[in-house]
Amino acid sequence: MKFSIQKIILILVLIIGYNQLIIAQTKLRNSILFYAIDDRIEVYVDGELVFEKLASAGNLVNEVEFDLNPHVSDKIDPIVEIRLINSTCTTCESGNGWLVEFEIFQEGNSVDYIIEEGDSLGGDTVYTISYEWGYI
């Protein structure tokens, strides 16, 4: 009888350990997936710059995904701000186009998709959006 109880306990411990391993591996996705950036993107969490990427004329070779987990998981309702800065164009006579396209993932779900474009002289922030991370 004792031997059977030990086997049952061992099996339960293995099952529980396996379940915990699966849960740890399926970390919920909190990220921003950038499809296009023209010219520079900055991401802030609670006012602190945590990510910056430069791409000329919206040309990203590949999509760029920024993992927010290290920056939002230990905070209560952090503010995530995305800013697009359009570089100055000294040869542009009538304007300087800008573009940003991205998707927001919160806890594994796509919660927002943005594509914005416009024209400016450059050298300034042309697009800003903020998210209160628990309430998108």
Side-chain angles (χ1 to χ4, degrees):
M1 185 75 173
K2 206 176 197 182
F3 185 68
S4 297
I5 292 174
Q6 288 176 343
K7 280 186 176 180
I8 292 171
I9 291 172
L10 177 62
I11 290 170
L12 287 174
V13 167
L14 290 174
I15 290 171
I16 291 169
Y18 179 75
N19 285 339
Q20 293 301 318
L21 179 64
I22 295 298
I23 290 169
Q25 289 177 346
T26 58
K27 188 176 185 181
L28 296 177
R29 181 181 185 190
N30 290 295
S31 63
I32 306 168
L33 180 59
F34 292 100
Y35 299 107
I37 300 169
D38 182 2
D39 288 300
R40 189 175 87 234
I41 202 78
E42 296 176 346
V43 178
Y44 294 82
V45 175
D46 288 339
E48 178 186 347
L49 179 65
V50 294
F51 179 76
E52 186 174 21
K53 180 72 177 174
L54 177 67
S56 178
N59 296 322
L60 291 174
V61 176
N62 295 311
E63 300 167 346
V64 174
E65 185 165 15
F66 174 61
D67 180 13
L68 281 166
N69 280 322
H71 307 284
V72 299
S73 60
D74 61 342
K75 297 183 179 180
I76 299 172
D77 304 330
I79 303 298
V80 176
E81 182 179 10
I82 300 168
R83 297 180 192 168
L84 179 73
I85 294 91
N86 195 19
S87 297
T88 303
C89 179
T90 57
T91 60
C92 298
E93 294 179 13
S94 62
N96 183 13
W98 56 267
L99 169 70
V100 64
E101 181 182 6
F102 61 90
E103 190 169 2
I104 301 288
F105 292 90
Q106 186 178 46
E107 296 181 357
N109 299 310
S110 175
V111 294
D112 201 7
Y113 172 82
I114 300 286
I115 182 166
E116 293 284 338
E117 59 186 319
D119 202 15
S120 78
L121 296 176
D124 56 345
T125 300
V126 292
Y127 179 82
T128 302
I129 190 167
S130 295
Y131 297 95
E132 189 172 356
W133 199 253
Y135 301 94
I136 301 175

